[in-house]
Amino acid sequence: MTTRIGYIGLGNMGAPMALRLLDHIGSLSVLDTNPDAVTPFIEAGARPVSNAAELASVSDIVCVTVLDDAQVRDVVAGPDGLLSTAKPGTVIAVHSTISDTTALDLETQCASHGVEFVDAPVSGGAAGAKKAALAVMVGASDEAFEKIREPFRAFAALVVHAGPVGAGTRMKLARNLLHFVSFTAATEAQRLAEAAGIDITELGKVVRHTDSITGGAGSIMWRDNTSALEPDDSWFPIFSHVRALGEKDLALAMALGDRLDVDLPLATRALAGLGPGLGVGIGDIARTHSMEEQP
């Protein structure tokens, strides 16, 4: 039997994801509070429904991409929510970035109806969805993951089973922590460059170009834990080299900031934390800098 799929939330992210699903499976039931968002799906052959309860009654898997925790709770467990009609064995997959505690709470509510809850936030933005290039981080039981893995490939190039319910959200939060901390670091680098008379639009071109080659921060994320490395570990010389280069360049940037009177708090923190974070301990440059900072 063909798996019946429903989609709630046809906004900037949900619409391209749902379109990919419709193209992939040839049928889809859809729901959005904005009638204009539904129209192109009807024209493409999708089935519109009036509320979440109706959607659940005609779906084996329901994908949810709404704004926040409150909206997720409402469409899943509200008066006319999915659980009011979902049959046992139905999978409810939430792509919204919510709290992991919300995911666990909804898992419990869904389990009381024999329904599988899946937290499946995505990374890659609307552009990634349009290209079917998203990464999906899935928190689910093994059984539920097997049900959703193939349909998710309609809009994703990478589908990762992060662990049980809640794990997908925790992975997304860690990923976005890196994302927005790096944005903050980018603003710090722009302030330094601007103070030094550098065209920051040209700097942006350089950053995007080189990150597309090196992989940016992801290029160091190969280890399976964050504990300190033993000297005979194969990663030790590699990350020691990274530490040496990083400490040298951070110290030079901080010296430039001192001369230009530009405060660089993230650079200061990075100099102290780079080596320990890599698992190879603090390096000579960072150690010397720390001693110089002490009164």
Side-chain angles (χ1 to χ4, degrees):
M1 295 180 61
T2 301
T3 300
R4 302 171 302 167
I5 300 180
Y7 210 106
I8 300 178
L10 305 173
N12 289 336
M13 281 299 299
M17 292 169 67
L19 281 172
R20 281 289 181 173
L21 274 169
L22 180 57
D23 290 342
H24 183 68
I25 64 177
S27 64
L28 191 71
S29 299
V30 294
L31 173 65
D32 194 277
T33 57
N34 179 7
D36 290 339
V38 178
T39 299
F41 285 88
I42 298 174
E43 293 172 349
R47 170 182 178 175
V49 298
S50 59
N51 56 38
E54 183 183 354
L55 186 70
S57 70
V58 296
S59 302
D60 304 306
I61 297 172
V62 179
C63 294
V64 179
T65 308
V66 293
L67 182 61
D68 54 23
D69 292 53
Q71 288 189 5
V72 169
R73 287 182 180 276
D74 185 54
V75 300
V76 173
D80 292 313
L82 298 169
L83 289 181
S84 64
T85 60
K87 300 177 181 63
T90 299
V91 176
I92 298 174
V94 172
H95 300 298
S96 312
T97 300
I98 57 175
S99 167
D100 60 327
T101 58
T102 297
L104 293 173
D105 186 28
L106 289 174
E107 177 194 26
T108 300
Q109 294 182 60
C110 286
S112 68
H113 291 75
V115 172
E116 291 265 20
F117 182 84
V118 171
D119 59 308
V122 301
S123 185
K130 291 175 182 177
K131 297 176 182 177
L134 291 174
V136 189
M137 296 148 279
V138 180
S141 68
D142 291 342
E143 181 180 2
F145 181 72
E146 286 305 314
K147 290 181 180 179
I148 55 85
R149 177 164 53 180
E150 188 57 35
F152 281 11
R153 285 179 176 152
F155 50 73
L158 179 65
V159 181
V160 175
H161 191 185
V165 172
T169 296
R170 296 177 193 126
M171 182 178 284
K172 175 64 182 294
L173 295 177
R175 196 270 170 271
N176 277 12
L177 171 69
L178 172 61
H179 190 63
F180 291 111
V181 168
S182 68
F183 277 15
T184 309
T187 66
E188 185 166 295
Q190 286 175 309
R191 285 191 290 105
L192 177 64
E194 187 173 53
I198 301 301
D199 184 336
I200 62 174
T201 61
E202 294 300 308
L203 172 63
K205 292 178 183 178
V206 172
V207 171
R208 289 187 293 274
H209 174 77
T210 53
D211 277 0
S212 70
I213 299 169
T214 67
S219 63
I220 69 160
M221 301 177 74
W222 293 101
R223 299 173 58 204
D224 56 9
N225 63 70
T226 61
S227 60
L229 292 169
E230 296 296 330
D232 61 352
D233 190 294
S234 61
W235 285 111
F236 192 91
I238 296 171
F239 285 145
S240 293
H241 178 65
V242 172
R243 177 192 64 191
L245 291 176
E247 288 189 355
K248 173 182 69 67
D249 290 354
L250 285 165
L252 290 171
M254 290 165 63
L256 177 60
D258 287 342
R259 295 198 306 274
L260 298 173
D261 196 26
V262 177
D263 187 32
L264 302 175
L266 289 178
T268 301
R269 190 177 184 97
L271 180 61
L274 178 61
L278 291 170
V280 293
I282 193 167
D284 293 338
I285 294 176
R287 186 178 295 107
T288 299
H289 186 271
S290 177
M291 292 175 63
E292 291 174 349
E293 290 290 306
Q294 294 177 5

